[in-house]
């Protein structure tokens, strides 16, 4: 479908609302745009087994981006204390504690620069509690019931009990809303987001200022990735093909996210 040719409406030429003079493919259309001034970073996942040294996909690409766009640009005003990474998504895969520890180490800006591609940055016996590094934003059944959609809204938050009720995940869960019922009446929630079941996927790491300890943002990712090995990838040993004997990142899903950090915004203003 990416190579199928058709007429497109795009903003080129004198009449931006006119279709292309000749049928072109989606790939050709995308190449007509100038991305040289793009300042955000795309975080893609592509199905396949990718040699670990190829850091273009999945959580390995996210890790690389955090190193380049966060760790190398830490402001002196930011405290060395980092808040846990907040993970908000609409579906959860079959996770293991070991995989989640690796994921947390890969995306936590306070330890990412010391994490190699394959191993965790902490010896197993020295692993910090996951609850101190990661938080999962997941609506309660009460929040689903009180939403605009009612229980039907739960259809946009699929999660089987065997996946969401694992012991190591339970301490990580946090509500979608505050417990105040005024949220549902718009008192503390003028946009009434509490009334809607989320389907967006957002990963963000807050930070604190040294002087005022006011909350800041180290980085944020708006994405299609849910929290799963299929979406982010899993490091495996490869026994066949050209990658035999090497570590590979195995990804099952197509995904795409957009990454922002203070450094990416500075790049934008520097180019303006």
């Amino acid at each position: 479908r990416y190579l199928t040719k058709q007429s497109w409406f795009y903003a080129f030429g004198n009449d931006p609302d006119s279709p292309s003079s000749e049928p072109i493919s989606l790939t050709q259309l995308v190449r007509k745009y100038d991305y040289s001034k793009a300042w955000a970073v795309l975080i893609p996942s592509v199905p396949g087994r990718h040699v670990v040294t190829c850091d273009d996909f999945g959580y390995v690409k996210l890790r690389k981006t955090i190193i380049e766009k966060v760790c190398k640009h830490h402001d002196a005003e930011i405290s060395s204390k980092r808040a846990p990474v907040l993970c908000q998504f609409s579906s959860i895969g079959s996770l293991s504690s070991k995989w989640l520890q690796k994921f947390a180490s890969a995306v936590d800006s306070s330890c990412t620069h010391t994490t190699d591609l394959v191993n965790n940055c902490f010896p197993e016996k020295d692993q910090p509690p996951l609850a101190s590094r990661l938080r999962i934003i997941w609506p309660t059944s009460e929040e689903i019931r009180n939403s605009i959609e009612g229980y039907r809204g739960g259809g946009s938050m699929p999660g089987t009990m065997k996946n969401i009720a694992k012991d190591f995940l339970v301490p990580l869960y946090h509500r979608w809303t505050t417990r105040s019922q005024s949220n549902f009446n718009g008192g503390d929630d003028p946009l009434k987001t509490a009334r809607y079941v989320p389907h967006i996927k957002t990963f963000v790491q807050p930070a604190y200022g040294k002087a005022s300890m006011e909350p800041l943002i180290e980085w944020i990712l708006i994405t299609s990735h849910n929290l799963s090995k299929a979406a982010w990838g899993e490091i495996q040993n490869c026994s066949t093909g050209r990658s035999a004997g090497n570590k590979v990142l195995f990804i099952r899903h197509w995904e795409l996210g957009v990454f922002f950090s203070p450094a990416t915004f500075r790049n934008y203003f520097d180019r303006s």
Side-chain angles (χ1 to χ4, degrees), residues 12 101 164 200:
F12 292 106
Q101 286 281 7
I164 67 176
I200 191 174

Side-chain angles (χ1 to χ4, degrees), residues 2-170:
Y2 303 112
L3 301 179
T4 301
K5 293 187 176 182
Q6 67 181 69
S7 294
W8 300 86
F9 289 88
Y10 57 87
F12 292 106
N14 296 326
D15 186 358
D17 294 325
S18 63
S20 53
S21 57
E22 295 182 1
I24 58 176
S25 68
L26 177 59
T27 303
Q28 291 172 314
L29 176 65
V30 170
R31 287 173 178 165
K32 285 183 174 289
Y33 287 84
D34 178 12
Y35 294 95
S36 62
K37 293 185 178 180
W39 47 274
V41 182
L42 295 182
I43 308 293
S45 283
V46 175
R49 288 179 169 84
H50 310 282
V51 176
V52 169
T53 52
C54 173
D55 48 13
D56 292 332
F57 308 115
Y59 79 78
V60 177
K61 174 61 181 288
L62 179 56
R63 169 189 178 275
K64 173 188 176 184
T65 304
I66 292 172
I67 291 173
E68 293 179 348
K69 302 298 183 181
V70 179
C71 296
K72 292 182 179 180
H73 301 272
H74 273 151
D75 294 326
E77 292 79 15
I78 293 180
S79 168
S80 58
K81 177 185 177 183
R82 297 291 184 274
V85 177
L86 308 180
C87 306
Q88 182 274 311
F89 46 87
S90 60
S91 179
I92 188 167
S94 180
L95 305 179
S96 67
S97 176
K98 182 177 180 180
W99 181 88
L100 199 55
Q101 286 281 7
K102 285 182 178 293
F103 179 81
S105 293
V107 303
D108 183 352
S109 64
S110 65
C111 66
T112 294
H113 60 287
T114 63
T115 307
D116 65 44
L117 290 170
V118 177
N119 301 307
N120 230 318
C121 63
F122 298 103
E124 189 168 343
K125 61 182 179 62
D126 298 328
Q127 289 284 355
L130 265 173
S132 69
R133 310 171 67 194
L134 210 68
R135 292 181 179 175
I136 293 175
I137 312 302
W138 189 265
T140 64
S141 57
E142 175 194 13
E143 290 170 321
I144 299 289
R145 176 172 56 82
N146 290 328
S147 70
I148 292 292
E149 302 91 341
Y151 281 124
R152 290 181 298 176
S156 66
M157 296 286 299
T160 62
M161 285 300 295
K162 69 182 181 66
N163 286 349
I164 67 176
K166 294 181 177 179
D167 290 343
F168 68 91
L169 291 176
V170 173

